[in-house]
Amino acid sequence: MDLRTLWYLTLATLLVGATMTLWERRAAPLRSRELGFWAAGFFTLAAGCFVGLMRGYLPGNTGPALTNITMLLGYLIVLQGVVTIDRPYNLLWTAATLGAAAVVWAVGGLPMTDMFWHYVSALPIGIISGLTAITLQRSTALRGLRSKNLAVAVFAFHGAFYLARAILMPMAVAAFGREMLPFFAATTMLEGSLYAVAMPMALIALVREEYQVSLLERSRTDDLTGLTNRRGFFERGGDAVKIAKDQGIAISLLAFDLDHFKAINDRHGHAIGDRVLQAFADAATRAAGPEAVIARLGGEEFALLLTGKDIERAREIGELIACGFSENAQAIEALQSNPTVSIGVAEAKASTFELYALLDAADRALYRAKSLGRNRIEVAKANGISAAA
């Protein structure tokens, strides 16, 4: 395959990638900005390929210079899209890079065109691609996504290829003569055509996986309180209990039931009832900490799974939640009296080191708390249940 054909192949592939990215943008509104940047970057890279094909028709060193600057702009736009996944991008970097490239080409003039085109121009491309890989790797928004590793590998390989070219090409030409130039040119365009395929695919895969993860997370989340729902609790909680059992660490569970919640709904309406549920969820989240598994199991029933906490510490956290709930509920002006909560607490034992058994033990303690007058904590123990008002 001759060099000119590889240029055309890369150009066409970039146009296809840009079109696919624009199409994906319609289905991913949360990442429409990033996808827009990437599509614009691919179109700009395609424009750079077109200018590169036509560079021989332009006077002096205008053709190579314009090709290089257009290509740099395309890479920078792609980097801009990656950066904006987590934070705003400072356009001064793009302007400064393009300005520096233009000055270098202008100062070098026609005598330096050959050196700049074959050797120097590869350096900024390698650096920008490397920065794109590093930015992706450090992205907090994309943490945990499997396709992130693929995207990082694509940009890292491309950057390493161009940096290696900038180092090895002048050495090879010095050793074997200018006959090496066509080989490096063909190799560069072949790698570029493969990159033009892999880059859009990797970035689109990132957006799709992120969307799938968000859908899965939404299916595990209670819309009203923002807590984990029943499905998510048994999925995450089951894993937490298994890990605690394998590592031999304590794990406790608190079961909650808001007292006389039906009466609150009947007297004040469901809007006030929803605010009461949200007040409890806020208190539980603040007292339990980020590592806990907090869930609304249904209606006014909640559960809290605490890894690394024994039954005494779990009881203390239950008291903090009850106090925090009371404080939060005071802000609901329509309530004529402060709502309360009944709590059952259980710690996993040899016979209850399974989530359903642990929840059953906490539920039995909770039922006892309700039967003894509500607004209290009952602690389940191996030899029975002891009360703590």
Side-chain angles (χ1 to χ4, degrees):
M1 189 176 292
D2 66 273
L3 184 59
R4 195 168 185 84
T5 301
L6 287 172
W7 275 92
Y8 279 118
L9 178 62
T10 305
L11 189 157
T13 305
L14 286 166
L15 290 176
V16 170
T19 304
M20 290 174 57
T21 306
L22 282 179
W23 181 262
E24 188 71 21
R25 188 169 182 258
R26 300 176 60 188
L30 294 179
R31 289 297 181 197
S32 62
R33 178 182 57 183
E34 290 82 358
L35 287 164
F37 279 130
W38 295 333
F42 303 155
F43 277 125
T44 304
L45 289 170
C49 287
F50 179 78
V51 176
L53 284 165
M54 301 293 110
R55 67 185 185 278
Y57 298 99
L58 299 175
N61 71 339
T62 305
L66 187 57
T67 301
N68 182 233
I69 293 172
T70 306
M71 287 286 192
L72 285 180
L73 177 59
Y75 282 104
L76 287 166
I77 294 174
V78 172
L79 173 60
Q80 181 173 339
V82 171
V83 170
T84 52
I85 292 174
D86 293 279
R87 61 185 184 277
Y89 180 84
N90 190 342
L91 289 174
L92 288 176
W93 287 105
T94 297
T97 303
L98 295 178
V103 169
V104 168
W105 280 99
V107 172
L110 191 58
M112 303 296 291
T113 297
D114 189 64
M115 185 186 73
F116 287 167
W117 177 254
H118 291 299
Y119 310 131
V120 179
S121 62
L123 280 173
I125 292 175
I127 293 171
I128 295 168
S129 298
L131 288 174
T132 306
I134 293 170
T135 305
L136 276 173
Q137 181 61 41
R138 293 179 176 177
S139 172
T140 55
L142 304 177
R143 182 179 298 151
L145 299 185
R146 292 174 62 249
S147 53
K148 183 177 83 169
N149 295 330
L150 173 63
V152 169
V154 168
F155 285 103
F157 180 84
H158 190 66
F161 177 88
Y162 267 82
L163 291 176
R165 174 194 149 166
I167 297 170
L168 297 177
M169 190 172 176
M171 295 171 59
V173 170
F176 304 104
R178 293 181 62 85
E179 291 79 9
M180 296 298 299
L181 292 178
F183 168 78
F184 276 97
T187 303
T188 299
M189 290 311 302
L190 178 60
E191 190 276 341
S193 63
L194 296 175
Y195 177 68
V197 174
M199 176 174 51
M201 291 178 63
L203 293 174
I204 290 173
L206 263 179
V207 172
R208 289 185 176 179
E209 185 182 357
E210 183 186 38
Y211 180 64
Q212 290 170 354
V213 169
S214 69
L215 286 180
L216 181 60
E217 190 61 30
R218 284 169 58 187
S219 73
R220 296 171 175 168
T221 303
D222 176 62
D223 290 336
L224 176 63
T225 62
L227 301 179
T228 300
N229 60 18
R230 188 179 188 87
R231 172 186 173 182
F233 177 74
F234 283 103
E235 289 179 358
R236 295 179 58 195
D239 293 339
V241 171
K242 183 179 184 302
I243 292 172
K245 183 177 181 180
D246 293 342
Q247 297 180 354
I249 59 178
I251 189 164
S252 300
L253 189 147
L254 295 90
F256 304 87
D257 188 278
L258 305 192
D259 298 328
H260 306 296
F261 183 73
K262 184 177 184 301
I264 293 174
N265 271 338
D266 292 343
R267 183 178 304 166
H268 302 289
H270 288 282
I272 297 299
D274 288 348
R275 291 182 62 186
V276 170
L277 293 171
Q278 291 166 341
F280 176 83
D282 179 66
T285 301
R286 283 189 284 110
E291 300 301 322
V293 181
I294 316 171
R296 182 186 178 195
L297 299 182
E300 68 273 23
E301 298 177 0
F302 297 82
L304 169 60
L305 192 66
L306 296 167
T307 303
K309 305 289 192 298
D310 60 18
I311 200 164
E312 290 303 320
R313 180 57 183 148
R315 179 179 174 275
E316 293 172 2
I317 291 174
E319 292 174 346
L320 288 174
I321 292 173
C323 291
F325 174 46
S326 177
E327 293 174 2
N328 289 348
Q330 291 176 10
I332 306 175
E333 297 176 356
L335 293 177
Q336 298 175 355
S337 60
N338 237 13
T340 58
V341 60
S342 298
I343 307 172
V345 190
E347 182 180 358
K349 303 295 182 182
S351 60
T352 58
F353 235 121
E354 195 271 336
L355 185 58
Y356 285 97
L358 185 57
L359 181 60
D360 180 66
D363 274 339
R364 283 187 276 111
L366 171 62
Y367 295 148
R368 184 172 176 85
K370 292 169 66 176
S371 67
L372 291 174
R374 296 183 170 87
N375 189 24
R376 60 190 293 123
I377 299 176
E378 288 290 318
V379 179
K381 291 191 175 180
N383 59 351
I385 300 175
S386 66

